[in-house]
Amino acid sequence: MKPLLTIEASYLESLGIVDWGYTRELKAQSFKNFSHWIKDHHETLPYLGTQQSIYNRENIQHWFKEAQSALVFLFDYTPAKKESAEFPKVAGYALGFDGLDYHDVLSPKLHEIATHLGLENYKLSLDTQPILERDLALRAGLGWFGKNSMLIHPKHGSYFIIAGIILSRPLAIEDARIEIDHCGHCTACIEACPTQAIHSDTRTLIADKCISTWTIEDRREDTPAIPGYEASRGEIFGCDICQDVCPWNRKPLERVVGFLSERAQFWREWYHQPASTIYEAIQSLSGRALQRFMQGTPFMRPGKKTLLRVLNYWLKRDPTNGSHTPHN
Ligand code: B12
Ligand code: SF4
Ligand code: SF4
C-alpha cells in the first residue's frame, strides 16, 4: 500500500486498512442503477427508499454541501474469515473487528486519520450515511462491482468494510484509475446462492431473497423463510456464501494469518452451540438483559424477535437436538 500524504503505509496497516483511494468525483456513476433497483426494494429496507435518501445518494454534495473530495479506506476482516472457515454460520464481519460493531470500532480510526491530515471540516461515510459506498470505492479506484454486487479489490478480494472521509477541500493526490471488471465468464456466486438472490443481468441482489436481509434486517416476527434457505450452510446471522465461493477471495485467504480476539472467539463458540441452546438462552433473557449481554456487538442489530425467528426455523426442522445442519 502507498503512503497517504504524510501518513506512512505501516501506520494505515496498523489500523487494519489494506488499501485506500481518493476521488474528486462526487456524483455516483451507478445512480441510475440504484434508482431502478430501489423501486422494488422498500419493504424490508424502508430507510433506503425515502425521497431524501434517494436524492442524497445521487451526489455527495446533496448531503454535505461543502464536499469537494473523498478518501476511501478498506478495513479488512479476512483474518477472521480464515479462522472461522469451518464455522460459516455467522458473517465474517461480525467476528472481524474484535467481535464488536464495526461502526464503533472504525469511526475513531477515521477521526484519527483526519487529525493526522489536519482536517477540520469533514464527514465520515461508514455504512449508515446516504452514500453509495461501493460506487464511491469504485470511483476511488479500489475495485469493481462483482456479479455478487460486492466491491472486489484485485489483490484483497471482498472481505472488507468500506469507509470514507468526505472532505471540504481537494487534496494533492492524483485522481484514481477506475478498475476494470475481472469477473469474466465466472458465475460461481450466482450458482452458489441458495436462495437465488443474485440478479444475474443487473449485478444487483433481490434484497428480499438475501439471507442477510432475512437474518439481520427483517424485524418482522413471522416473515416466512426464503425458499432455498434450507439449502444454506445454516447461516443464522448474515451470509457470506457468495463471497466464500468467489475466486478473488482465495489468494487473500491464503496470504493472511488467521486471528480472532478473545471476545470474537467467545462469540464464535457461543454461536457454535446447538440452535436449541442459543434459542433458550436468548428467550430466557429480558429485552434489556439481552441488550446488556450483546452490547457493542453486531448481534444486537437484528433484535430478539429476529434472532428467535431464525433459530426457530432450524429447531422446527430438527426438534431433537436443534442442530443447524442443513437438510437438503
Ligand atoms: C442495503 C445494504 C445491504 C442489503 C442489500 C445489499 C445489496 N447488494 O444491494 C443487504 C441487507 C442484503 C446487505 C447484505 C450484505 N452487505 Co450490505 N449494505 C447495504 C448498504 C447499506 C446499501 C447498499 C445499497 O445501496 N444497495 C443497493 C444496490 C443497488 O447498490 P450497491 O449495493 O451499492 O451496488 C452498486 C452496484 O451494484 C452498481 N450496479 C447496480 N446495477 C448495476 C448494473 C451493472 C451492469 C453494473 C456494472 C453495476 C451496477 O450500482 C450500485 C449502486 O452504486 C451498504 C452501505 C452503503 N451505504 O452503501 C452496505 C454494504 C454494501 N454491505 C456490505 C456488506 C459487508 C454486506 C454483507 C457481506 C454482510 C453479510 N455478510 O451478511 C452482505 C453481502 C450481500 C451481497 N452480496 O451484497 C458492505 C460491502 C463491502 C463490499 N466489499 O462491497 C457495504 C458497502 C457496507 C460497508 N460500508 O462496507 N447489504
Ligand atoms: S449473501 Fe447469501 S443469500 Fe445473499 S446473495 Fe450472497 S449467497 Fe445469496
Ligand atoms: S464469484 Fe465469479 S462472478 Fe461472482 S463476483 Fe466472484 S468472480 Fe465475479
Side-chain angles (χ1 to χ4, degrees), residues 106-273:
L106 303 185
S107 51
K109 295 186 182 193
L110 293 167
H111 286 302
E112 214 173 292
I113 295 172
T115 307
H116 272 278
L117 294 173
L119 304 176
E120 274 162 15
N121 187 16
Y122 66 90
K123 282 186 192 266
L124 301 189
S125 168
L126 184 50
D127 190 43
T128 52
Q129 291 71 20
I131 291 176
L132 291 169
E133 290 178 331
R134 284 169 167 157
D135 193 288
L136 182 64
L138 176 108
R139 284 167 359 242
L142 291 170
W144 74 96
F145 301 132
K147 289 180 191 165
N148 59 5
S149 104
M150 298 301 292
L151 195 277
I152 306 179
H153 185 287
K155 184 163 171 224
H156 300 290
S158 64
Y159 297 133
F160 49 73
I161 291 296
I162 302 168
I165 301 178
I166 314 298
L167 303 122
S168 58
R169 61 176 167 90
L171 293 174
I173 301 175
E174 264 181 47
D175 266 8
R177 191 176 53 84
I178 303 280
E179 187 62 56
I180 54 162
D181 179 351
H182 295 288
C183 280
H185 295 298
C186 175
T187 50
C189 54
I190 298 169
E191 284 151 32
C193 174
T195 54
Q196 294 175 8
I198 301 174
H199 199 292
S200 52
D201 300 336
T202 61
R203 282 172 195 242
T204 55
L205 295 194
I206 304 158
D208 294 349
K209 283 192 177 185
C210 180
I211 291 169
S212 189
T213 307
W214 192 69
T215 57
I216 303 180
E217 301 298 327
D218 187 339
R219 307 290 145 72
R220 292 168 298 185
E221 208 167 346
D222 51 1
T223 321
I226 311 156
Y229 180 56
E230 68 284 358
S232 72
R233 305 171 300 190
E235 271 63 22
I236 55 174
F237 181 91
C239 177
D240 287 340
I241 295 174
C242 57
Q243 295 191 80
D244 295 347
V245 297
C246 179
W248 290 93
N249 280 326
R250 250 176 244 150
K251 279 204 181 128
L253 271 174
E254 277 165 23
R255 229 179 9 242
V256 299
V257 178
F259 173 71
L260 278 185
S261 69
E262 220 173 288
R263 190 187 292 110
Q265 202 57 268
F266 168 83
W267 284 108
R268 174 194 171 182
E269 278 160 28
W270 196 78
Y271 273 106
H272 202 32
Q273 303 176 96

Side-chain angles (χ1 to χ4, degrees), residues 300-317:
M300 215 35 242
R301 182 163 173 86
K304 189 169 175 174
K305 278 188 206 158
T306 305
L307 289 168
L308 290 179
R309 161 168 52 70
V310 173
L311 291 161
N312 198 30
Y313 172 86
W314 295 104
L315 278 173
K316 274 197 184 145
R317 292 180 67 86

Side-chain angles (χ1 to χ4, degrees), residues 23-97:
T23 181
R24 287 167 222 235
E25 183 51 82
L26 300 170
K27 275 197 208 147
Q29 282 195 0
S30 59
F31 176 72
K32 267 205 181 131
N33 300 111
F34 173 79
S35 57
H36 285 305
W37 179 87
I38 196 64
K39 289 191 186 118
D40 299 324
H41 293 84
H42 302 264
E43 217 177 296
T44 38
L45 304 167
Y47 63 94
L48 287 178
T50 65
Q51 246 183 352
Q52 191 65 44
S53 143
I54 297 171
Y55 174 72
N56 283 347
R57 280 173 167 78
E58 185 172 11
N59 185 326
I60 295 177
Q61 283 176 339
H62 291 177
W63 169 69
F64 178 27
K65 243 197 294 178
E66 295 104 307
Q68 292 286 316
S69 66
L71 279 165
V72 188
F73 302 92
L74 306 182
F75 285 93
D76 195 30
Y77 58 82
T78 318
K81 280 302 304 182
K82 176 131 186 162
E83 200 147 325
S84 58
E86 82 288 6
F87 176 51
K89 291 151 190 121
V90 173
Y93 79 85
L95 302 177
F97 299 95

